[in-house]
């Protein structure tokens, strides 16, 4: 009998119980240990051999690190996400600002935006491949599509939420045109724009994996499919999933740094 | 800042209705008022009687249904930085520093002049040392000082203040009132100040315009002939207070 997971869980529970002040590191670490311990116990007693244990998953991570698949496929996924996301931001933010601010722009474009928005990016995969072929082009298009709507709709809503007093202050001091956008509309909407960028990046990372599983021949999504098809290597599948999660966390941490600038902090404090 | 032009604001038979779900809601009816140059006027009345509407019309944010508001004989049709608002809720920009907020109306002023005026105004409202701070880091009273500074910096002919101290605690309010009087005495702009606080109006105004509600009409105009700083315990003070409460229909005010 393997007593290691039981011991680990016990130590974690004792640690949690004894914690005087809940630290931001120790508490989640203890909870994670309990989760991994339960996973190990499940493998020891219930699950079939095919299911990878935590240790097998860790070894599989080393394996894809050694043979280079981890880095080449992660790079392929990140390449598509980066391009698609930045293109979407470059188009979506100005468009959202304009559509949100002008009544005519809103009336013209909002219905189309709302009608396209519920169509899952995954549904576009056949057309993406038809237009761009299997490869980066299709991936970038899908990520562009997936992040474009959260960014545009978020920016639009942010602009339409600009408070009456701020609009009137701008009018009172005679702001027009570019200056109005630079000094009031854009900064007023910025906190919510950053939030929508965060949401869009999260969605983009979800979509790229799905897209690569269905219609691409590289990337982390493809790696999952590949591992399953080539000899049912579920340890590699689990390893890739862990990597996808870790990269997702890092991406979110990176984009959250935008929330710390003086110009936007006001938008996140509770009022 | 001593040579700013003074103005006379004239409300001439101003009426305004709003459409309230198909029903016509008459908010202001036949408002006639002449405000002298450099005068401090308080608009006093119960909540919803049309004080903000009256100010918005004079500021150019709304148009009257009939009648007109003129300043120095020119009819008001749109907002302008010659007449600046201090809003009921905080109107300063939370994304800009105190300095940048105060400089909002000074965009076309040459750099050296702008720096001088901004610093002078910030000193005037007592915010020296907070130039780089963001509104989030300031107390409510300090935020309103920033907004007053932003208004003063452009040397406006008229300042409209819509319950600017409404969100502040009573002690801060008292300080802000005496500060406002100090600044007003120094700069002498024409001020239209909205409040529903009887004491506030007596402490500040040269004349108090009492509005009745639904439809908003001018019920009376009360002169406050007391020198600043005003003695809140004086006989005249409580006489005016009694008069105002009677006009507002409050019986047992103590
Ligand atoms: N844009 C609008 N559309 C419809 N009704 C309005 C509008 N603005 C104001 N009203 C109505 O006009 C009336 C007067 O409003 P106003 O804001 O001028 O009151 P007020 O005296 O400033 O009140 P308070 O002291 O509460 O600020 C209210 O009954 C309000 O519901
Ligand atoms: Mg009001």
């Amino acid at each position: 009998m393997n007593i290691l997971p039981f011991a680990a869980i016990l130590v974690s529970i004792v640690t949690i119980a004894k914690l005087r002040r809940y630290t931001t590191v120790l508490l989640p670490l203890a909870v994670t240990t309990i989760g991994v311990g339960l996973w190990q116990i499940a493998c020891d007693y219930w699950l079939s051999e095919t299911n990878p244990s935590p240790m097998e998953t860790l070894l599989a991570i080393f394996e894809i690190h050694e043979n280079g698949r981890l880095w080449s496929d992660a790079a392929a996924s990140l390449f598509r996400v980066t391009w698609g996301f930045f293109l979407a931001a470059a188009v979506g933010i100005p468009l959202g600002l304009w559509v949100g601010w002008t009544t005519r722009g809103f009336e013209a474009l909002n219905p189309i935006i709302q009608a396209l928005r519920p169509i899952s990016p995954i549904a576009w995969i056949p057309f993406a491949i038809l237009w761009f072929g299997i490869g980066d082009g299709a991936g970038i298009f899908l990520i562009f599509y997936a992040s474009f709507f959260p960014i545009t709709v978020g920016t639009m809503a942010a602009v339409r939420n600009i408070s009456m007093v701020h609009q009137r202050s701008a009018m009172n001091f005679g702001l027009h045109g570019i200056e109005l956008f630079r000094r009031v509309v854009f900064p007023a909407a910025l906190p919510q724009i950053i939030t929508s960028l965060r949401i869009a990046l999260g969605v983009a990372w979800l979509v790229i994996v799905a897209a690569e599983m269905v219609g691409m021949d590289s990337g982390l999504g493809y790696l999952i499919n590949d591992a399953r098809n080539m000899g049912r290597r579920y340890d590699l599948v689990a390893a890739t999933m862990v990597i996808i999660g870790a990269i997702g966390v890092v991406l979110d941490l990176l984009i959250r740094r935008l929330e710390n600038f003086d110009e936007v902090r006001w938008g996140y404090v509770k009022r | 800042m001593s040579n700013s032009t003074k103005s006379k604001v004239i409300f001439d038979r101003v009426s305004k209705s709003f459409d309230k779900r198909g029903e016509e809601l008459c908010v202001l009816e036949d408002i006639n008022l002449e405000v002298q140059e450099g005068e401090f006027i308080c608009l006093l009345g119960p909540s919803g009687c049309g004080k903000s509407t009256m100010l918005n019309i004079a500021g150019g944010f709304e148009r009257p249904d009939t009648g007109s508001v003129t300043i120095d004989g020119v009819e008001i049709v749109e907002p302008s930085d010659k007449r600046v608002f201090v809003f009921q809720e905080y109107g300063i920009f939370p994304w800009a520093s105190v300095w940048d907020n105060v400089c909002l109306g000074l965009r076309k002023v040459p750099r050296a002049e702008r720096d001088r005026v901004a610093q002078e105004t910030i000193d005037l409202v007592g915010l020296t040392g907070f130039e780089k701070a963001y509104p989030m880091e300031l107390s409510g009273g300090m935020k309103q000082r920033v907004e007053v500074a932003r208004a003063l910096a452009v040397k406006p002919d008229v300042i409209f203040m819509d319950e600017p101290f409404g969100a502040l605690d009573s002690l801060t309010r008292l300080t802000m009132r005496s500060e406002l009087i100090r600044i007003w005495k120094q700069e002498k702009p024409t001020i239209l100040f909205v409040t529903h606080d009887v004491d506030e109006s007596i402490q500040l105004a040269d004349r108090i315009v009492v509005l009745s509600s639904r439809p908003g009409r001018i019920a009376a105009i009360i002169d406050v002939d007391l020198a600043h700083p005003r003695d809140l315990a004086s006989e005249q003070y409580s006489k005016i207070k009694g008069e105002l409460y009677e006009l507002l229909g409050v019986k047992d005010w103590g």
Side-chain angles (χ1 to χ4, degrees):
Chain A
M1 184 174 119
N2 181 4
I3 61 155
L4 193 66
F6 292 100
I9 290 174
L10 198 66
V11 170
S12 300
I13 291 174
V14 172
T15 310
I16 292 172
K18 288 225 163 186
L19 272 182
R20 293 235 157 251
R21 258 179 283 115
Y22 293 116
T23 60
T24 47
V25 179
L26 216 50
L27 185 59
L29 194 69
V31 174
T32 310
T33 310
I34 294 177
V36 175
L38 290 173
W39 174 8
Q40 181 66 53
I41 292 168
C43 287
D44 288 344
Y45 296 98
W46 295 295
L47 298 175
S48 70
E49 275 297 293
T50 334
N51 290 282
S53 69
M55 188 45 88
E56 283 160 357
T57 305
L58 193 63
L59 290 174
I61 293 178
F62 284 124
E63 184 184 328
I64 49 177
H65 162 67
E66 299 267 282
N67 70 19
R69 283 294 301 268
L70 168 56
W71 304 109
S72 62
D73 281 319
S77 297
L78 283 170
F79 177 80
R80 293 162 191 155
V81 165
T82 309
W83 272 103
F85 178 76
F86 277 108
L87 286 175
V91 180
I93 294 174
L95 185 70
L97 288 174
W98 180 69
V99 173
W101 188 253
T102 58
T103 316
R104 182 167 290 225
F106 184 78
E107 283 170 355
L109 290 179
N110 189 50
I112 304 171
I113 292 174
Q114 299 301 340
L116 285 174
R117 193 155 74 119
I119 304 175
S120 163
I122 306 298
W124 283 90
I125 288 179
F127 280 113
I129 293 173
L130 178 67
W131 294 334
F132 298 96
I134 299 229
D136 287 336
I140 291 170
F141 167 78
L142 287 169
I143 294 307
F144 174 85
Y145 184 89
S147 13
F148 177 76
F149 289 100
I151 294 174
T152 309
V153 173
T155 306
M156 218 166 77
V159 172
R160 295 182 76 78
N161 272 341
I162 295 176
S163 73
M164 183 71 127
V165 276
H166 293 148
Q167 291 181 38
R168 286 195 163 173
S169 293
M171 281 164 79
N172 203 163
F173 288 93
L175 291 167
H176 298 290
I178 295 291
E179 209 171 27
L180 177 68
F181 271 80
R182 192 171 68 78
R183 284 181 187 266
V184 179
V185 181
F186 182 67
L190 196 53
Q192 241 179 296
I193 292 178
I194 290 175
T195 305
S196 62
L197 288 175
R198 240 187 106 192
I199 294 168
L201 191 57
V203 171
W205 194 239
L206 290 176
V207 166
I208 194 63
V209 172
E212 287 165 348
M213 288 182 76
V214 186
M216 252 150 266
D217 59 5
S218 63
L220 292 171
Y222 174 75
L223 179 56
I224 288 186
N225 245 8
D226 205 27
R228 204 191 71 100
N229 294 338
M230 302 287 169
R232 298 165 67 77
R233 288 287 305 277
Y234 280 93
D235 55 337
L236 291 181
V237 174
T240 312
M241 287 167 71
V242 171
I243 296 298
I244 290 169
I247 294 178
V249 169
V250 171
L251 287 179
D252 195 54
L253 284 177
L254 284 178
I255 203 153
R256 287 200 74 163
R257 302 184 73 147
L258 294 177
E259 293 174 0
N260 295 329
F261 289 101
D262 278 338
E263 289 79 5
V264 296
R265 262 191 3 234
W266 61 274
Y268 306 111
V269 291
K270 292 194 188 80
R271 269 160 299 180
Chain B
M1 282 193 224
S2 48
N3 57 351
S4 64
T5 40
K6 302 301 189 297
S7 305
K8 196 152 78 167
V9 187
I10 300 175
F11 289 78
D12 182 27
R13 285 165 294 150
V14 170
S15 298
K16 177 82 180 171
S17 304
F18 284 115
D19 185 51
K20 195 185 176 192
R21 291 183 204 156
E23 254 181 88
E24 185 159 286
L25 180 73
C26 185
V27 176
L28 292 175
E29 195 177 72
D30 198 31
I31 301 287
N32 292 288
L33 177 67
E34 285 198 26
V35 181
Q36 306 306 315
E37 286 181 13
E39 202 178 9
F40 199 132
I41 292 281
C42 273
L43 303 176
L44 178 70
S47 187
C49 72
K51 306 182 294 293
S52 295
T53 307
M54 197 170 152
L55 223 54
N56 286 335
I57 291 173
F61 289 114
E62 311 229 27
R63 301 282 294 127
D65 295 341
T66 62
S68 64
V69 180
T70 54
I71 293 181
D72 285 336
V74 182
E75 187 174 351
I76 305 305
V77 291
E78 59 180 5
S80 145
D81 58 7
K82 295 271 108 205
R83 347 172 252 280
V84 179
F85 251 82
V86 173
F87 292 96
Q88 190 164 1
E89 315 86 32
Y90 302 117
I92 53 169
F93 298 147
W95 52 84
S97 64
V98 169
W99 181 269
D100 288 343
N101 266 294
V102 174
C103 287
L104 179 65
L106 304 170
R107 304 184 306 283
K108 297 189 181 77
V109 179
R111 180 74 192 265
E113 168 82 356
R114 182 176 65 210
D115 289 355
R116 189 182 57 76
V117 173
Q119 192 60 58
E120 256 177 36
T121 327
I122 288 172
D123 296 345
L124 180 70
V125 299
L127 283 176
T128 317
F130 289 94
E131 292 83 359
K132 292 203 177 70
Y134 280 78
M136 206 178 61
E137 302 152 7
L138 304 177
S139 70
M142 291 160 90
K143 281 186 225 176
Q144 280 311 38
R145 284 167 198 262
V146 177
E147 192 157 345
V148 170
R150 182 177 80 172
L152 288 171
V154 298
K155 301 179 175 57
D157 299 340
V158 187
I159 300 180
F160 300 109
M161 306 183 93
D162 191 351
E163 295 187 48
F165 309 147
L168 307 177
D169 64 90
S170 54
L171 267 176
T172 313
R173 248 148 86 178
L174 280 176
T175 333
M176 293 296 287
R177 281 175 207 160
S178 53
E179 291 275 289
L180 181 61
I181 289 298
R182 173 180 65 78
I183 292 166
W184 171 68
K185 284 195 150 174
Q186 191 174 329
E187 309 291 322
K188 274 287 174 181
T190 308
I191 297 184
L192 266 78
F193 187 108
V194 161
T195 181
H196 54 230
D197 183 325
V198 169
D199 284 299
E200 186 162 79
S201 68
I202 313 172
Q203 282 164 41
L204 292 172
D206 291 330
R207 284 192 295 156
I208 302 170
V209 176
V210 184
L211 294 172
S212 65
S213 58
R214 279 199 201 111
R217 283 206 194 97
I218 295 182
I221 298 179
I222 308 283
D223 287 299
V224 187
D225 251 337
L226 300 168
H228 290 286
R230 288 178 176 167
D231 179 4
L232 310 191
S234 74
E235 210 171 294
Q236 269 165 301
Y237 186 96
S238 38
K239 187 169 149 281
I240 295 172
K241 197 165 168 175
E243 223 173 312
L244 290 173
Y245 275 117
E246 197 161 321
L247 281 163
L248 293 168
V250 183
K251 292 279 178 318
D252 305 307
W253 55 278

